[in-house]
């Protein structure tokens, strides 16, 4: 066995085990990955390779299966054989750092170690593609033009839906965005540090960073981390000097405009990114009630508050069902509603294969119920902010308009949608409503 084989064998085997467990419906891909890596003794390079293989294969699985189908007359393969074919094909056509022949050899050897009688079959398909590499690359590019959903590995119904709304060019931009690797953004915690102090500490920790700016937050608040050791090992992380958060999520808090001394309700608060930013904007002076549906989720809020030095937040279970006549005692309420998450699809790699059209209507009804509950707890002239990380109008503007039709004591002051192919951040929707009576 070559040195190269030894270097990449273990990550591949872990990746196959993760993909097998995920395919069995054990859990979300991120959770399966985290569970496997937590018990593995791997270098940072090998950990990165495991993540690259698992995320990449799930992200591109429709296109990978199309490639396999071209050599097998479209016949469906057994689960483990399908995983191994995806593994080999992904390395050949999507990864540059592993030589093609090494990728094929190790995939076939793994099939033998797993006792697969189809090792010869897998070898024939992968080596056939090695001989047709350039020709296949052209076919893959043509597939993106002829059948975008398949070429970019998305569900047909979702790609067709977006194409009708935005047209061919923007559809292509969105599909490419969903298949890109998301950067890591850090939001400075002004309760504990400032820009100059954080930058100085990051330099000592070998963190390479770049300040980023959008129009809905102040300069010096958000940084893109270009290169860094594992975040949880950093003293700056452990001390709560920053919070990992996409810039798009900051729009809801900007629209809420929390002020020191106010009383604010944050519905659906976990894991606490917006909650802790609200507290930061209030300079820890006032009252923030953070509600969610389970103690497990609320524990995440408490942990993040403790790390970031947030002391004005009270974590509470969301009452289910909500009281029919709650006391309207909050100055402002944020409803960051559960949604289809279509705006964050590049971060949630397996989401595209889990989402269903009928889920959008179910979620819309739940979102409206949360908005009604929130409105009842708001003082007169108070601010109600509704936000999602969805790009679907049924969950966004249509929910806000349905609420307004049924509650004439509110008016829409402002709304905004963030689109990845326009703003260059995760997709989001935010509406600011004012209670007039």
């Amino acid at each position: 066995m070559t040195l190269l084989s030894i270097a990449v064998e273990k990550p591949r085997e872990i990746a196959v085990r993760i993909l097998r467990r995920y395919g069995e419906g054990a859990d979300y891909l991120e959770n399966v990955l985290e569970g496997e890596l937590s018990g593995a003794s791997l270098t940072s390079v090998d950990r990165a390779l495991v993540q690259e293989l698992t995320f990449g294969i799930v992200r591109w699985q429709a296109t990978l299966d199309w490639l396999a189908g071209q050599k097998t007359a479209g016949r469906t393969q057994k689960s483990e054989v399908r995983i191994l074919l995806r593994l080999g094909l992904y390395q050949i056509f999507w990864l540059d750092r592993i030589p093609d022949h090494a990728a094929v050899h190790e995939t076939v050897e793994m099939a033998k170690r797993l006792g697969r009688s189809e090792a010869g079959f897998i070898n024939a398909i992968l080596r056939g593609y090695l001989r047709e590499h350039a020709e296949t690359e052209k076919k893959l590019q043509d597939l993106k033009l002829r059948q975008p959903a398949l070429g970019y590995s998305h569900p047909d119904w979702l790609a067709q839906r977006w194409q009708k709304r935005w047209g061919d060019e923007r559809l292509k931009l969105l599909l490419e965005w969903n298949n890109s690797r998301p950067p890591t953004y850090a939001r400075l915690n002004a309760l504990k540090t400032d820009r100059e102090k954080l930058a100085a500490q990051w330099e000592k920790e070998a963190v390479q960073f770049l300040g980023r700016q959008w129009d809905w937050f102040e300069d010096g608040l958000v940084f893109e981390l270009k290169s860094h050791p594992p975040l949880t090992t950093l003293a700056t992380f452990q001390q709560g000097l920053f919070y990992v958060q996409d810039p798009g999520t900051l729009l809801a808090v900007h629209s809420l405009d929390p002020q020191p001394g106010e009383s604010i309700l944050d519905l659906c608060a976990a894991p606490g990114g917006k909650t802790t930013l609200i507290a930061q904007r209030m300079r820890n002076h006032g009252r923030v009630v953070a509600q969610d549906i389970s103690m497990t989720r609320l524990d995440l809020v408490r942990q993040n508050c403790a790390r970031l030095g947030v002391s004005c937040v009270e974590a509470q279970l969301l009452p289910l069902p909500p009281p029919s006549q709650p006391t309207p005692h909050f100055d402002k309420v944020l409803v960051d509603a559960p949604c289809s998450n279509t705006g964050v699809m590049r971060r949630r790699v397996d989401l595209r294969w889990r989402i269903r059209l009928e889920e959008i209507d179910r979620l819309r009804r739940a979102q409206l119920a949360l908005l009604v509950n929130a409105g009842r707890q708001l003082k007169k002239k108070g601010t109600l902010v509704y936000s999602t990380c969805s790009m679907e109008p049924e969950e966004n503007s249509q929910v806000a308009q349905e609420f307004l039709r049924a509650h004439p004591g509110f008016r829409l002051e402002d709304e905004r949608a963030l689109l990845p192919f326009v703003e260059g951040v995760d997709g989001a929707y935010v509406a600011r409503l004012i209670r007039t009576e």
Side-chain angles (χ1 to χ4, degrees):
M1 186 177 293
T2 66
L3 289 176
L4 176 64
S5 302
I6 294 172
V8 297
E9 178 181 10
K10 190 174 182 181
R12 279 200 188 98
E13 291 178 344
I14 294 174
V16 168
R17 188 160 63 247
I18 291 169
L19 292 167
R20 185 193 297 128
R21 284 192 58 207
Y22 165 70
E24 292 169 351
D27 204 341
Y28 295 144
L29 178 62
E30 292 88 345
N31 295 341
V32 177
L33 175 72
E34 183 180 349
E36 288 288 340
L37 290 184
S38 66
S41 178
L42 294 173
T43 65
S44 59
V45 173
D46 282 350
R47 291 174 71 90
L49 179 56
V50 172
Q51 180 169 311
E52 170 67 39
L53 291 172
T54 53
F55 280 9
I57 287 167
V58 171
R59 184 183 287 122
W60 287 99
Q61 69 181 40
T63 316
L64 291 166
D65 290 347
W66 177 82
L67 281 172
Q70 299 298 295
K71 297 290 187 184
T72 61
R75 293 192 302 274
T76 301
Q77 305 302 319
K78 296 175 182 177
S79 174
E80 200 159 80
V81 173
R82 187 164 60 247
I83 290 172
L84 291 168
L85 285 172
R86 289 172 178 172
L87 177 67
L89 290 168
Y90 182 73
Q91 292 173 95
I92 292 171
F93 292 107
W94 276 268
L95 289 187
D96 298 325
R97 55 186 175 226
I98 299 174
D100 290 346
H101 285 86
V104 172
H105 172 75
E106 284 303 323
T107 302
V108 173
E109 289 302 303
M110 191 183 309
K112 293 177 181 178
R113 288 195 297 274
L114 292 172
R116 300 304 315 185
S117 60
E118 298 90 347
F121 167 77
I122 293 170
N123 182 62
I125 290 178
L126 297 182
R127 294 200 177 278
Y129 271 120
L130 289 188
R131 294 189 294 270
E132 303 167 10
H133 197 288
E135 178 187 346
T136 304
E137 290 279 10
K138 292 179 181 178
K139 287 182 179 179
L140 288 171
Q141 292 304 313
D142 182 59
L143 188 64
K144 291 178 178 179
L145 296 174
R146 291 186 296 103
Q147 297 176 260
L150 186 55
Y152 289 99
S153 191
H154 280 67
D156 278 327
W157 70 269
L158 195 54
Q160 291 172 12
R161 177 185 179 87
W162 290 340
Q163 190 276 337
K164 290 177 182 176
R165 193 183 314 156
W166 293 310
D168 293 338
E169 186 57 33
R170 284 189 159 189
L171 170 65
K172 175 187 174 184
L173 292 174
L174 180 55
L175 299 182
E176 287 178 341
W177 172 274
N178 287 344
N179 287 337
S180 65
R181 296 172 182 85
T184 300
Y185 292 103
R187 185 253 298 170
L188 177 143
N189 178 18
L191 295 174
K192 286 193 169 187
T193 190
D194 58 35
R195 179 178 184 173
E196 289 72 25
K197 292 177 182 177
L198 181 60
Q201 288 180 260
W202 271 345
E203 288 178 3
K204 294 177 182 177
E205 294 176 320
V207 176
Q208 297 181 7
F209 58 93
L210 176 67
R212 299 298 305 273
Q213 178 61 40
W214 280 266
D215 64 76
W216 55 89
F217 57 84
E218 67 272 20
D219 187 30
L221 182 65
V222 172
F223 300 87
E224 182 179 347
L225 304 186
K226 310 294 286 187
S227 175
H228 56 82
L231 290 178
T232 56
T233 68
L234 300 178
T236 49
F237 177 87
Q238 296 165 2
Q239 294 165 8
L241 305 190
F242 68 91
Y243 185 87
V244 176
Q245 193 167 17
D246 187 86
T249 65
L250 277 60
L251 178 62
V253 178
H254 171 76
S255 185
L256 188 70
D257 191 26
Q259 298 296 318
E262 290 182 331
S263 178
I264 295 178
L265 172 62
D266 183 4
L267 284 172
C268 314
K274 296 181 180 71
T275 309
T276 53
L277 180 56
I278 290 170
Q280 178 172 318
R281 291 280 297 270
M282 296 169 67
R283 299 196 290 275
N284 248 347
H285 177 59
R287 179 176 182 244
V288 181
V289 175
Q291 295 186 343
D292 218 296
I293 59 173
S294 74
M295 292 304 297
T296 300
R297 292 179 61 80
L298 287 175
D299 282 343
L300 295 174
V301 177
R302 293 188 183 98
Q303 290 165 17
N304 280 314
C305 285
R307 185 173 64 85
L308 298 175
V310 170
S311 59
C312 64
V313 169
E314 304 169 20
Q316 299 178 359
L317 279 173
L318 179 66
L320 293 175
S324 57
Q325 296 295 330
T327 303
H329 60 271
F330 290 102
D331 299 304
K332 294 172 180 175
V333 180
L334 171 62
V335 181
D336 187 36
C339 66
S340 63
N341 299 302
T342 55
V344 295
M345 196 165 281
R346 72 168 176 169
R347 294 188 184 277
R348 302 187 179 182
V349 176
D350 55 340
L351 173 65
R352 69 189 69 184
W353 309 123
R354 293 189 282 108
I355 186 174
R356 297 289 183 269
L357 179 59
E358 55 271 19
E359 276 291 285
I360 293 176
D361 185 59
R362 182 191 67 79
L363 286 163
R364 181 194 62 78
R365 296 193 299 271
Q367 291 151 359
L368 183 59
L370 284 169
L371 200 50
V372 170
N373 175 27
R376 289 173 176 163
Q377 302 184 65
L378 190 66
K379 293 178 182 177
K380 186 177 180 180
K381 297 185 179 180
T383 299
L384 173 58
V385 169
Y386 172 70
S387 72
T388 75
C389 57
S390 169
M391 297 186 294
E392 311 315 307
E394 296 95 328
E395 300 179 83
N396 295 338
S397 58
Q398 291 181 23
V399 169
Q401 289 302 319
E402 187 171 353
F403 174 82
L404 289 168
R405 285 193 297 270
H407 299 83
F410 286 80
R411 63 176 172 84
L412 176 65
E413 186 172 81
D414 185 42
E415 66 179 334
R416 182 173 181 181
L418 301 180
L419 300 174
F421 48 76
V422 176
E423 284 83 11
V425 297
D426 287 346
Y429 171 82
V430 175
R432 182 167 66 246
L433 311 173
I434 304 297
R435 183 169 188 172
T436 59
E437 60 181 49

